[in-house]
Amino acid sequence: MHNTVVDPVTREVISGMLNAVTAEMQQTLISTSHSPIITEGQDATAAIFDTEGRNIAQATAVPVHLGVLVEMGKRFAAQYPEGVAEPGDIYVCNDPYCGGTHLPDIAVVAPVFYDDYLVGYVATMTHHRDIGGYAPGSVNVEARDLHAEGLRIPIVRLYHRGELNDSLNALLESNTRTPESLRGDLGAQIAACRTGLKRYSRVFSRWGRETIAEANRQLMDYAESLTRAEIGRINDGDFYFEDWLDDDGLDPANDPLKIAVTLRVRGDEIEFDFTGTDPQATSAINNVPSSTNAVVFYAVRLLTGDRIPNNDGCYRPIRTVLPAGTLVSANYPAPVAARGMSLKRIEDVVLGAMIKAVPEFFTAAHSGQYTMVTIAGQDPETGRALLGHIGGPYAGGHGARPRKDGIDVTEHGATNGSPIPLEVAEAKLPLLFRQCSLWTDSGGAGRNRGGLGYHVDVEWRGPAVYAQLRRERMKFKPWGALGGSDAPLCSTEFFGIDGSNEELPGKCRRALIAGDRLSIYTTGGGGYGNPRERDRIAVENDVIDGKVSVEAAKEVYGYSG
């Protein structure tokens, strides 16, 4: 098959067609799903694999999903290879200890056949609203093992030769508090995979198996060579960075938890060694290796840029050392449902090491957390579960860049979702946003200023429920780079309808009744460079726009008017 000649133009045309397939799968997935976290938050992704399960194309979507699918593709291909996979099959899996992330993230994969030959697989992954377990929403910091977090699905056939496994489907729907959402979102994944089947088959119809196989081999080799070339530009050396999680989420008085990495650059290869990271937590803030690797893959892809095809070749020069039984490589059955909090800190340390290696390329720290407030209760009129996120912005500011300010209030980095609009949130849940605004002085000061965070004041107007808060950066600030200042700490304040008020810890459950309010401050990104070197006009404009206070302009930036 390697004797097939594929010229560079044909190779690029095929690459574009593969990317178009994943883009259409992604659009189908988002357009036809049921839950706002997918239709608005876009917590979903799509990819294509070859017969060995190697990634050959991915949609522009959530990096931590895409990186996880790098491993899951190989696992699906190993379990359902040529001779086992059959036309009309569809497989599902959500097991974190089988290449997944956490239980709400379900992967759906379908084998692709052309002329009766298995030619690859198409895949989707989305975050589902509820998959059972102790807490509504299936993301509970307090879970003590994986089995308290929901239904664990190994790699299994959901469809066989086009026929639905009714028993398995019934099992899935009976283990969720929101069966209509599971049905709708899983159906959207299946529709996206079937779209991928049709479109990918058309690519083979035009070019044939031999040409496609050779083009994919060349594209992976090409991605590898360009990645190695970019790594080779970095001076050899060891670059260490560490950062801290506030606590384990069980008690705000508990000790902070360290995540550490040593970046080693040797020639055209790169290694991320997480030795020194604290042991896995009792709570559900742990990560499995596939999630940690996904962050590393993301960081290296930042280095290489979007001119390189996004396929398995990108990852060949990368090695990770993940000590077992730590926050970055938990041992079964450690809970992992709330792994997003430590995932953001893994990203911070990886990028912190990268900025030491390539200081004029990477940013200061992003906000380093996302503000997730899950509402859980029951509608007294219908008896149905009242479940969802409060919506609105949830990520803070982007870290300042070497040549630009950070971006205000934007989801960024390895998670890369979208906020649920205030109007959608208010339509889906009985709540009212009384305020949503940029938070003055929340971006770290610097020659280039960190992107701002935000302040929201939201009032609950429904029946008695619980709000589960999953927040970080309440004790450790997003760091500045090369003389830039840190961004401030996050905070949450509760105002009761009875006149009470209290400061809430980052991770907690709080009962809400109609009229209660949450006032949420989410930090920005760190600054880059000495604040005293910031352009005078830029400081003036920041003051005029309300992004920097007059006091900070004078005291931090040395602005005299």
Side-chain angles (χ1 to χ4, degrees), residues 439-497:
W439 175 15
T440 301
D441 291 333
S442 59
R447 183 177 70 247
N448 295 321
R449 175 183 43 73
L452 267 65
Y454 65 89
H455 170 224
V456 296
D457 191 307
V458 60
E459 178 183 335
W460 181 248
R461 293 191 163 189
V465 293
Y466 279 97
Q468 184 184 69
L469 282 72
R470 304 197 307 278
R471 307 197 67 200
E472 266 286 331
R473 292 297 193 194
M474 316 290 278
K475 300 176 184 177
F476 297 92
K477 298 177 179 180
W479 41 266
L482 278 73
S485 299
D486 299 343
L489 296 173
C490 296
S491 66
T492 309
E493 193 167 6
F494 168 82
F495 293 92
I497 187 67

Side-chain angles (χ1 to χ4, degrees), residues 11 15 24 57 69 136 208 219 232 234 297 311 315 347 363 402 413 474 486 509:
R11 185 185 67 198
S15 178
E24 188 170 351
L69 286 174
L219 286 165
I234 307 173
F297 295 159
N311 61 40
Y315 315 123
E347 179 182 340
T363 72
M474 316 290 278
D486 299 343
R509 282 203 311 157

